Amino acid sequence: MALAGVRVIELAGLAPAPFCGMILADFGARVIRVDRTKVAMTVDTQARGKQSVALNLKNPKGVAVLKRLCVQSDVVLEPYRKGVMEKMGLGPEDLLKENPRLIYARLTGYGQSGSYAKGAGHDINYLAMSGLLSMLGRSSEKPYAPLNLVADFAGGGLMCAFGIVLALLERSRSGQGQIIDASMVEGAAYVGSFMWKSRSLGLWNRPRGENLLDSGAPFYDTYRTSDGKYMAVGAIEPQFYQQLIQGLGLYDADLPAQMSVSDWPELRQTFTRVFASKTQEQWSRVFDGTDACVTPVLSLDEVLSHPHNQARGSFFKDSQGEISPRPAPVLSRSPAEPCHSRDPFIGEHTRSVLKEYGFKQAQIEQLLSAGIAECNEAKARL
Ligand SMILES: C[C@H](CCC[C@@H](C)[C@H]1CC[C@H]2[C@@H]3[C@H](O)C[C@@H]4C[C@H](O)CC[C@]4(C)[C@H]3C[C@H](O)[C@]12C)C(=O)SCCNC(=O)CCNC(=O)[C@H](O)C(C)(C)COP(=O)(O)OP(=O)(O)OC[C@H]1O[C@@H](n2cnc3c(N)ncnc32)[C@H](O)[C@@H]1OP(=O)(O)O
């Protein structure tokens, strides 16, 4: 796999850093997540392919252990508020001094500088600060965050993984590590570059929810079918729009022009009425194989069995029967091979990892009996 041989220490976080670590693990990196001790259950649902070491970082000896892990690794990924790592003596200066090849990834909401740097926040706040949230939502409604996808995952976890891969690539030439300041505000904004750079086309001149791609246009929206499901319509170009009209059994001559914005409400009403006359499956049969750009809106459970997804193996079931998306993109020679077994228990690999990183058996037992480290191998065997 592409990242085989890369060792990553991921400090346990909420959602974006775990996703970043999972991407790296899916593509072959060895990812060791450092968890807290005395925690019954992990909230990391993005732990595929990772190992877990439990350390008490409130104890200087726990910090020393972590330092030793970082110094012998390629990447450290930290999801804390600005200053937390420095307070523990694990800031980039300390770690890079001992391991100049280390890539030190800091995944935060607001970045390492600026007046918000130390503030708490979540996806919705970062999205708001990126400018993008102001554009999301239906006409005459308040801004609406699309789950926590944009800042946490696209602008956060994914962008940070991209930064790590870039830094690894650069290190292969320079031999040097570096610090990655991954701000979710900036990552989200960067993902949304199109919104800024397409303003010159007049794409966003109208209020929120009344433009071509923000559910303003009737040919770029979702429609309810007679069985309570939905179809997604993205028939922008005239030649594709014609196929939409044809599939719906409508006639161009009876309809207003596609780009007549003032007629969009009327056109939407017509589409709404027609889509409500058949089931999702019936509409899929009408539009499959055409260029009308009409697809069923599938649920998370339905994606696995859709023939197209099935043919590509786009989703898979792990050993627990849980459905997940296959890692993307697909590399022809060294594709990702996602781990199919269950996620690690907290501290499941403490002993084995510490041993591998050069700790003597007696040292490990001491750390465990003092509660500085915690091992849950037994739980894993049950
Ligand atoms: C919208 C998303 C988040 C969605 C996540 C949800 C899925 C989950 C969020 C809450 C969960 C629920 C909750 O936990 C309650 C239940 C728990 C139960 O077990 C399960 C069910 C729950 C209902 C549970 C269910 C779900 O899991 C949840 C609903 C996001 O937007 S995520 C993005 C958040 N932002 C960032 O990541 C940006 C960077 N980080 C930060 O800004 C801050 O870390 C943050 C997130 C604001 C948190 O601030 P906080 O004050 O809590 O921490 P920090 O200042 O960063 O400091 C960390 C301190 O922890 C110490 N520490 C770290 N590791 C260890 C260790 N191994 N041992 C000891 N101590 C450790 C560290 O030293 C710091 O200590 P100090 O504060 O003393 O310096």
Side-chain angles (χ1 to χ4, degrees), residues 15-17 19-21 23 107 151-162 164 184:
F19 179 52
C20 177
I23 295 171
L107 180 47
D152 273 0
F153 298 111
L158 181 59
M159 273 296 172
C160 189
F162 176 58
I164 289 170
M184 290 187 243

Side-chain angles (χ1 to χ4, degrees), residues 222-223 225 229-233 275 279-285 287-288 293-299 302-303 306-307 309:
T222 56
Y223 290 94
T225 53
K229 296 187 172 188
Y230 291 88
M231 297 299 284
V233 176
F275 270 111
T279 64
Q280 187 191 61
E281 198 186 331
Q282 288 169 325
W283 282 122
S284 294
R285 265 190 258 122
F287 287 111
D288 275 7
C293 307
V294 180
T295 45
V297 176
L298 300 176
S299 71
E302 287 168 337
V303 290
H306 188 281
N309 293 337

Side-chain angles (χ1 to χ4, degrees), residues 135 192-205 213:
M135 302 182 70
S193 293
F194 178 77
M195 309 309 145
W196 278 269
K197 298 184 78 66
S198 62
R199 281 195 291 183
S200 56
L201 302 176
L203 273 185
W204 316 108
N205 283 353
L213 300 177

